[in-house]
Amino acid sequence: MADKEKSGNAFVETIKTIVYALLIAGIFRTLFFQPFWIPSGSMKETLLIGDFLFVNKMAYGYSYASCPSLMLPRFGIEVDSRDICGSFDGDNTRLWGGEPERGDVVVFRHPVSGRDYIKRLIGLPGDTVQMKAGVLHLNGEAVAREDTGVFTEEMAAQGPQRLRPRCENGPVGEGGTCEKSRQIETLPNGVSYSVLNIADQQSDRTGVYTVPEGHYFFMGDNRDNSADSRLAQQVGGVGFVPYENLIGRADRIMFSSAGTSMLYFWTWRSDRFFKGVE
């Protein structure tokens, strides 16, 4: 009888330990740092498919979007942050809110789909943004750009979704070298980063966007392969992103894998471990 009681107590203690661990992990993820895998190539070359980073959630304070989402449709699990913290939604404010800076790489909640996106903050409230012949214009002025050669990568499946890159020198066969023109873009506040060009397309020529108060304008660094604020929310883009939808700032890559699985250690990119996000 005593053995059964000991066994029962051990089982209860194990369950308690698991519950406490999950609570601690949930609190840590909600308040401090959220893990994020880069699933697509919209932020190349700043962020590559397979980069793993922690998002600094303290940078901009907290809103309903700070609550974690758990999306595992394969297992029938779809718990959205609004399901947990939806009562805090609707006023476009934040607790202990901090203002993002132009050029920050930000994870935010898509205003329509609710999915987590990562892009670069280009337009602040009140700014005008326009693309003219592939050149970014802010408040009527062209943003400084400098040609810096060519970005290259192998034409191969990338990441768990097995995405294949678009190439400026396409079509490129399997295993060939995929090329994109590279420029360094420097924003008015001095933040510089690489942008890539693939083709002359409609997103290189836009109307003038005026960023509303309490909203932000985001773009991917891989300009011709990014669904961002240049595309309206109704047609699958991001549009203007409300302040309360910001989740946090991407500061540092912790791990990176070029393969379709992180378990393929021979595809790990050790040169990107602990690399700062600029």
Side-chain angles (χ1 to χ4, degrees), residues 258-276:
T260 55
S261 170
M262 66 173 291
L263 300 178
Y264 299 162
F265 63 87
W266 58 91
T267 66
W268 292 357
R269 307 182 186 106
S270 59
D271 60 318
R272 297 183 66 80
F273 291 8
F274 309 111
K275 181 180 179 180

Side-chain angles (χ1 to χ4, degrees), residues 194-207:
S194 296
V195 294
L196 304 180
N197 180 71
I198 301 171
D200 180 20
Q201 56 189 51
Q202 186 175 352
S203 58
D204 291 326
R205 300 176 302 279
T206 72

Side-chain angles (χ1 to χ4, degrees), residues 29-257:
R29 190 177 187 273
T30 299
L31 296 180
F32 302 111
F33 297 97
Q34 175 175 318
F36 191 86
W37 284 97
I38 302 301
S40 73
S42 69
M43 282 296 293
K44 291 178 182 176
E45 68 180 310
T46 303
L47 298 171
L48 304 180
I49 294 175
D51 283 348
F52 174 79
L53 48 86
F54 281 105
V55 179
N56 181 356
K57 302 182 83 167
M58 298 176 284
Y60 310 133
Y62 305 96
S63 71
Y64 86 95
S66 301
C67 286
S69 296
L70 184 59
M71 296 295 181
L72 299 171
R74 182 184 302 178
F75 302 100
I77 301 174
E78 294 195 20
V79 180
D80 186 77
S81 62
R82 187 173 271 121
D83 297 332
I84 304 171
C85 298
S87 60
F88 300 103
D89 182 18
D91 57 4
N92 201 25
T93 60
R94 307 181 72 85
L95 179 65
W96 302 316
E99 293 297 327
E101 296 183 6
R102 197 192 309 276
D104 283 357
V105 177
V106 180
V107 173
F108 57 88
R109 177 186 168 92
H110 190 289
V112 175
S113 71
R115 302 295 183 180
D116 290 352
Y117 272 49
I118 185 165
K119 306 288 181 185
R120 190 176 297 276
L121 175 54
I122 297 297
L124 301 174
D127 282 345
T128 61
V129 183
Q130 185 177 21
M131 293 294 293
K132 295 182 181 180
V135 177
L136 173 64
H137 286 65
L138 282 174
N139 300 315
E141 299 290 334
V143 169
R145 293 203 318 171
E146 178 185 358
D147 290 331
T148 55
V150 176
F151 170 80
T152 63
E153 59 185 332
E154 181 184 0
M155 172 54 73
Q158 299 178 356
Q161 299 181 52
R162 304 186 65 81
L163 301 177
R164 295 181 181 277
R166 291 179 59 205
C167 313
E168 190 174 17
N169 61 326
V172 175
E174 186 73 17
T177 300
C178 177
E179 299 180 353
K180 300 174 180 65
S181 299
R182 180 203 286 123
Q183 294 86 34
I184 295 294
E185 194 169 81
T186 302
L187 296 173
N189 61 345
V191 175
S192 296
Y193 48 88
S194 296
V195 294
L196 304 180
N197 180 71
I198 301 171
D200 180 20
Q201 56 189 51
Q202 186 175 352
S203 58
D204 291 326
R205 300 176 302 279
T206 72
V208 177
Y209 304 95
T210 300
V211 185
E213 190 65 31
H215 292 71
Y216 298 91
F217 191 98
F218 289 91
M219 295 176 67
D221 292 350
N222 192 4
R223 289 288 163 78
D224 295 336
N225 195 37
S226 175
D228 49 40
S229 292
R230 292 171 291 177
L231 196 60
Q233 297 164 4
Q234 293 82 355
V235 289
V238 170
F240 301 121
V241 177
Y243 180 46
E244 67 181 351
N245 282 44
L246 307 186
I247 294 173
R249 185 180 64 219
D251 290 334
R252 188 168 299 275
I253 299 164
M254 305 303 294
F255 172 82
S256 184
S257 173

Side-chain angles (χ1 to χ4, degrees), residues 19-35:
V19 170
Y20 291 153
L22 290 174
L23 285 173
I24 292 170
I27 292 170
F28 182 86
R29 190 177 187 273
T30 299
L31 296 180
F32 302 111
F33 297 97
Q34 175 175 318

